Amino acid sequence: MPSTIVPAHGLADQGYATPAALHWNLGTGVLVELAVQRGEGLLSEHGALVVETGKHTGRSANDKFIVRDAHTDGTIWWDKNKSITPEQFAAIKADFAAALKERADLFVQDLYGGSQPEHRVKVRVVTEKAWHSLFIRTLLVRPDPADLAGFVPDYTIIDLPGFKADPARHGCRSETVIAVDFTGRTILIGGTAYAGEMKKSVFSILNYLLPETGVMPMHCSANIGKDGDTAIFFGLSGTGKTTLSADASRTLIGDDEHGWSDTAVFNFEGGCYAKMIRLSAEAEPEIYATTRRFGTVLENVVIDPVTRKIDLDDNRLAENSRGSYPIDFIPNASASNMGPVPRNIIMLTADAFGILPPIARLTPDQAMYHFLSGYTARVAGTEIGVTEPDATFSTCFGAPFMPRHPSVYGNLLKARIASGGVDVWLVNTGWTGGSATAGGHRMPIKVTRALLNAALDGSLKNAAFRTDANFGFAVPVAVPGVEDRILDPRETWADKAAYDAQAKKLVGMFIANFAQFEAHVDASVRDSAPKAA
């Protein structure tokens, strides 16, 4: 089957000579057809391509390694990133090159990471599976056809699920490896069919490159109001980042990864990668509709091979079932994947301890503190004797994808907030009236929506505020349409002494977690730490 546009600068020019049939820059229809022909997936009754990723249904974080050399030695956050030597990477690369010669077919996509032209990176992605080529073509930004013939990549990603790494030879942990060479501008992914590794590799590239240009890379969603007011939503899984940013009255810029430059908030991607498990038409109609469209790829979603009906509630293959689709499958998505610089930043947390207020306003120093903390909490498991929620701190709301020290990103954020006069809000979508395990209930979505709308339309800035006794941030005391009592979490607890004790514990968790950053931030940020009342 012919390729569409073959660039003059090919794989052989990059040192990857192979007798394989090279399929360059194929489109959606052809890739779906090939994926089905090759037995890589099934078409659902409504036209989505349904695939399985095998034993890896999520990222293999413990199998990711970065080459430690003279260039990266002083720039990578080695406390949280594992290293390999240049010699070990060279061995992996040589074995990948040999594996490429053994493949009958290879699929190549030339794409952009980043929607703003002056801040994008050219990425070439080589895959052994047709559906992987479709996935990455969907998730990244597609160049105009006229730009493909002269395309020369800045970075190259090679993804071979059939490759088996050798820990003794390659310096890795298992037969799975994600090897990143920032100096050689190459990322090699082997031993896993989870497509998200490719997407997150591009995110890591941009997280590494953009801070040097003053652009803030962010793991967040973003949307725009009718008056051109951009809002950014940070938040870990389960905090409502996707749900709250998918607002029919606002235009979606993107759902996961963005950059903040001097002139714009821009999506790194051209598609979305949403969780599918227990997705419903009632709760998230726009995302649900994408499961019934040709061009969507559904990973680890259970499908009946005879009727081709899918079951989004069935988690037998994975709790992390996913769907990838072009962003224009969402009706109110931005055509350019960009918007103006933000007026508001929303930091979402689901506080299962029931301590944080439903909304609070942060100063730039407090914003940096909470950004570096990246706090949320999950409901405790069912083990005997477990009686409290589980606190989670993921710095910058995306620690696994941050190659540089978190203070680099935190200082960028603080500077941009201060210079742009941006309003920052901490929104608790978690529990109130008690903890998740002791009498509390989930924050009503109508309360969150009302407070979020007041923050985004600017009216909340005119409210009267009190200073929270534990965290020191400003909390509104009255907001139209919201019960006053719910704005003060202590008042929602029947046992005030129990609230005070729980608050003291949570403050202690924040302080203990932030100790790792104290030497890297200004005194004003350290002074923004919570203090037990």
Side-chain angles (χ1 to χ4, degrees):
M1 188 168 293
S3 297
T4 53
I5 299 175
V6 181
H9 185 84
L11 289 184
D13 298 297
Q14 298 180 255
Y16 300 110
T18 173
L22 300 179
H23 304 283
W24 288 90
N25 297 309
L26 296 181
T28 298
V30 176
L31 287 169
V32 170
E33 185 178 60
L34 285 171
V36 172
Q37 288 176 357
R38 291 158 55 90
E40 296 177 5
L42 298 174
L43 281 182
S44 75
E45 63 175 338
H46 294 111
L49 179 66
V50 184
V51 300
E52 295 183 19
T53 65
K55 67 177 182 178
H56 292 287
T57 60
R59 291 182 306 101
S60 299
N62 292 327
D63 294 306
K64 180 180 177 182
F65 299 86
I66 298 174
V67 175
R68 189 165 190 164
D69 56 22
H71 180 69
T72 60
D73 185 56
T75 57
I76 298 298
W77 184 28
W78 293 114
D79 289 350
K80 298 295 182 181
N81 289 283
K82 293 182 287 294
S83 68
I84 53 174
T85 66
E87 293 75 21
Q88 289 167 331
F89 184 86
I92 300 171
K93 186 176 180 179
D95 290 348
F96 262 71
L100 292 177
K101 295 178 180 178
E102 300 171 355
R103 300 311 193 258
D105 295 272
L106 290 168
F107 301 87
V108 191
Q109 293 286 339
D110 289 330
L111 301 159
Y112 295 137
S115 297
Q116 190 169 16
E118 55 267 46
H119 298 301
R120 66 177 39 145
V121 63
K122 295 179 180 178
V123 182
R124 174 166 290 169
V125 186
V126 183
T127 66
E128 66 180 32
K129 291 184 178 292
W131 83 261
H132 274 182
S133 194
L134 172 60
F135 170 91
I136 201 63
R137 181 181 186 274
T138 300
L139 264 294
L140 294 187
V141 179
R142 293 173 289 282
D144 291 333
D147 296 333
L148 288 174
F151 192 96
V152 179
D154 299 317
Y155 277 78
T156 299
I157 298 172
I158 302 177
D159 187 296
L160 303 178
F163 181 89
K164 292 185 178 180
D166 178 356
R169 171 172 163 78
H170 299 143
C172 53
R173 188 186 67 100
S174 69
E175 292 184 342
T176 298
V177 66
I178 300 95
V180 181
D181 181 5
F182 283 119
T183 303
R185 300 190 170 204
T186 303
I187 297 178
L188 306 173
I189 303 169
T192 172
Y194 179 64
E197 295 287 9
M198 294 182 287
K199 161 191 160 69
K200 290 304 183 186
S201 292
V202 177
F203 189 30
S204 293
I205 290 170
L206 290 165
N207 279 340
Y208 183 70
L209 296 177
L210 291 181
E212 290 187 343
T213 69
V215 175
M216 173 69 186
M218 303 174 292
H219 183 212
C220 67
S221 59
N223 62 25
I224 319 168
K226 56 181 173 44
D227 296 325
D229 55 305
T230 298
I232 290 170
F233 297 78
F234 291 107
L236 301 173
S237 179
T239 60
K241 176 165 64 79
T242 299
T243 300
L244 292 172
S245 63
D247 186 333
S249 67
R250 297 174 65 86
T251 299
L252 181 68
I253 300 174
D255 76 331
D256 199 35
E257 300 165 2
H258 296 80
W260 178 357
S261 71
D262 291 339
T263 58
V265 168
F266 61 97
N267 195 346
F268 287 169
E269 303 177 312
C272 300
Y273 194 36
K275 284 188 176 181
M276 291 288 136
I277 194 69
R278 290 177 285 278
L279 188 72
S280 72
E282 294 74 27
E284 295 182 279
E286 292 87 1
I287 299 176
Y288 181 85
T290 69
T291 68
R292 306 164 74 88
R293 291 191 63 169
F294 180 83
T296 293
V297 179
L298 299 176
E299 296 176 43
N300 301 314
V301 169
V302 173
I303 182 173
D304 186 306
V306 177
T307 66
R308 304 298 177 94
K309 293 182 181 297
I310 60 172
D311 186 350
L312 299 176
D313 295 325
D314 194 329
N315 67 348
R316 78 180 78 168
L317 294 177
E319 187 70 23
N320 188 39
S321 58
R322 293 271 178 168
S324 55
Y325 48 88
I327 195 169
D328 59 17
F329 278 15
I330 301 297
N332 61 330
S334 165
S336 65
N337 292 346
M338 293 196 295
V341 294
R343 293 187 196 172
N344 288 279
I345 291 175
I346 312 298
M347 295 184 182
L348 297 166
T349 182
D351 176 27
F353 293 96
I355 299 302
L356 295 180
I359 196 166
R361 189 176 182 180
L362 307 181
T363 66
D365 287 318
Q366 290 170 339
M368 182 175 178
Y369 183 93
H370 285 275
F371 179 70
L372 290 178
S373 297
Y375 165 73
T376 193
R378 296 181 174 89
V379 178
T382 57
E383 296 88 348
I384 294 174
V386 176
T387 59
E388 284 205 348
D390 179 35
T392 298
F393 293 93
S394 182
T395 186
C396 306
F397 297 98
F401 322 119
M402 303 298 169
R404 296 181 183 271
H405 192 276
S407 61
V408 172
Y409 309 102
N411 280 315
L412 265 174
L413 182 72
K414 177 184 171 183
R416 288 204 169 274
I417 289 170
S419 64
V422 182
D423 290 315
V424 185
W425 307 93
L426 182 69
V427 174
N428 176 24
T429 61
W431 276 257
T432 186
S435 71
T437 53
H441 56 86
R442 197 70 190 255
M443 193 73 67
I445 186 65
K446 65 178 182 180
V447 170
T448 301
R449 284 284 187 193
L451 293 171
L452 186 58
N453 290 340
L456 296 183
D457 69 21
S459 61
L460 191 56
K461 291 193 291 185
N462 300 320
F465 288 85
R466 65 175 178 86
T467 299
D468 185 87
N470 295 297
F471 285 84
F473 41 48
V475 180
V477 296
V479 178
V482 177
E483 184 183 0
D484 292 352
R485 181 169 167 269
I486 205 169
L487 294 170
D488 185 349
R490 189 174 189 272
E491 291 304 310
T492 66
W493 283 55
D495 186 342
K496 303 299 189 289
Y499 172 88
D500 293 338
Q502 190 75 280
K504 184 176 181 179
K505 288 182 181 179
L506 183 59
V507 166
M509 294 177 195
F510 267 85
I511 293 172
N513 173 72
F514 202 80
Q516 62 185 307
F517 305 124
E518 287 185 345
H520 301 277
V521 300
D522 295 338
S524 58
V525 177
R526 293 194 295 271
D527 291 342
S528 297
K531 300 172 179 63

